[in-house]
Each structure stands twice: as structure tokens, then as C-alpha cells.
Amino acid sequence: MYPENLIIVWLSLIHMNPEKTPFSFLLLASLFVVLACGEVQTGREIKMGHALVTSHPVHKAMVFLAERVEEKSNGQLRIKVYPNQQLGTERELLELLQIGSLGMTKVSAAALEGFAPTMQVFGMPYLFRDDAHQKKVLDGPIGRQLLLDPEEFWLRGLCYYDGGKRSFYTKDKPIESPEDLQGLKVRVMESNMASNMVRSMGGSPTPVAYGELYSALQQGIVDAAENNPPSLFTSKHYEVCKFYSIDEHTVLPDVVLISTKVWNLLSEEEKTWVQEAADESSEYQYKIWAESTEESLRELEKAGVQISYPDKALFREGVSEMYEQMEAEQPEIYQLIKAIQLVN
């Protein structure tokens, strides 16, 4: 059994049978024995897991990446994509990369906060002036350095994907101002920045795994969530939430990552194939993302979702304290924020 499969079985045992935890730790121990013997995933076929459904444009970009690697290598190197949390949640996938039993993944920059502190900067609401500003930052020296910062945590960034603009969607009423979030349980990613943002606007941040969010909304565990249009549409959360308020509070890129344990086992030629394919998939993803966003908004309206465009100034004002807090408590991240704001 491959190491990543052992981990998947272990995680499943813990999730479904907590009382069998002692046995599961024996299984995990066997995994580390295998890893110690050098049975980490190497070239030939790299496994890539992610949490999104196959209809999502980000999944399509990862399939494109895999196809380009196979073409560039004439079949010598392949990437196999596992969607829809088949191999775990975003956090679990990152942990699998760290020990080298999974080769690649795509996660939101927010999911990287606990692994690479500088990635917190992307969680700052209203950080970018517009799309052109964001693209210039990501394609420039700041963006490139941020991709490499997680290397000390055994994660190497290859490229960014457009993660869209995140806005609130709710079950019972539209969010026209931060005051409308008062008393609402709002699903957030496992991110301190996301929690601080919702809290500063008056809501109650509630972390829920993406794959569990539909049922959490149905059952009233949360009253609202926030995400981009393609994710709202492809997840079918619109079946539960009929109000979508486009305040575009955060613009979080997705990050395509490879385990440094796998990257360091690749030849220079193989590294070139992977990096070039990633860069090409990023260009492709930006294109289909824009198309998907427009289509998703049209489909959401057809499905009866009430889409509104509240005054963003009210929301910017609501999160101003986050910048003051960052300056006082994390001056290094604050300096990074200032450097991003200065990019013309």
C-alpha cells in the first residue's frame, strides 16, 4: 500500500471510528516505517489532490496542467489529479505534502496561513485596488517571493490561480452593510484572518470544512458563508442560500504547490516540465475563471438568487481596525502590506 493510502485509511478511521484510535495509530506507525525506508512518491506519476468538484474551473486548470506535463515529457512524467476531497481536506492535503506522501495540491492562500505566515497578507480585506493591481503584485517580485516562502515548511509554490473575489451569501436576508452580519454565524475557512474579518464586521466566524458546508447551511449550523461566484454555483450552495451580496471583501488567490520532498527528487529537466506546465495552466485558468464568473452569476440569477451590490465603503470602514491591529502586532506583515500598496 502506498504511504498516501495508509494516511487516507488512518484519517478515515479517526473520522468514522474514534473508539478505534489506538488501532489507527498502529497503522500510522506503519506509515512512518515505510517512509523511513524511502518509499516516498517520486517522479513517473505525481499525485495531486484538491477539495473542489470536477465542474469547477480550478479543477479544469489542474487537468490542463497534468496534460501539459505529459505532453512536455512525452509520457515520462505524469500527474494524476484527485478532486473533491478524495485525499482529504485542504489542511490534510498540505500535511500530506509536508511528509512527501502526496506530490501536489491546490489550496486557497488562506489555508497556508498556518504553514507560511507571510501568506496571511492575502487575507487582508480590500488589499488590492483592482484586478490589474493584484496581477502585477502576483507576477512581480513580491508574488514570486511569497511562492517560495513556504519552502522552509516543505511546500514550494509553483504558480497562482485566480481565486476570485469573495462575497457573503446568506439564507434569510441580504447583507447590505456590516450591521446585517450582527448575530449571524458565518462560515469561514480555517484562517485567523478570515475569522478576524468577519468578527470585525460584527458576525460570528464559524470554521467549517468546504465539503461539509452544504449540510451545515441546511442544518442551521451556520447562517451564511462567503465565496466567489463559481464556487457558490458549482457547490450548489445557492439551493440553500438565496441572497448573494457582492461586497468583494477579499481577493484570495489559489496557490498550486508541490512537496519539496518530491520536488528535490526531480531532475532539472523534470522540474522545468512541471514549472512550465504550471505557468501555462495559470494563464489558462485566469481565462476560464473570468468566463466562469460571468456564467455563474447568470446561472445564479436564473436559480432565483437575489444578487445585490452594497456600498463597499461601508465594509472597508468596518475592517479598518484590522490594519491598525496588524501594524501593532505583526509589523513584518504590515510592511509587506505597505509594499503591496505601493505597487503601481
Side-chain angles (χ1 to χ4, degrees), residues 104-178:
M104 296 174 66
T105 190
K106 185 290 308 173
V107 299
S108 168
L112 281 168
E113 286 181 20
F115 298 82
T118 52
M119 286 288 176
Q120 294 179 72
V121 72
F122 290 127
M124 291 300 293
Y126 302 107
L127 175 66
F128 299 108
R129 293 187 296 274
D130 50 35
D131 292 345
H133 179 218
Q134 185 211 23
K135 198 72 169 64
K136 192 165 187 179
V137 170
L138 297 184
D139 290 345
I142 294 175
R144 289 194 294 271
Q145 183 57 51
L146 285 167
L147 284 176
L148 299 180
D149 281 352
E151 281 195 310
E152 63 178 299
F153 306 99
W154 308 288
L155 305 166
R156 179 186 177 91
L158 293 173
C159 68
Y160 297 103
Y161 285 169
D162 192 343
K165 302 175 180 68
R166 302 179 74 90
S167 298
F168 292 109
Y169 53 90
T170 49
K171 294 169 61 176
D172 300 319
K173 64 177 183 179
I175 304 300
E176 298 299 332
S177 71

Side-chain angles (χ1 to χ4, degrees), residues 24-25 43 241 294 333:
S24 70
F25 277 109
C241 296
E294 294 178 4
I333 301 296

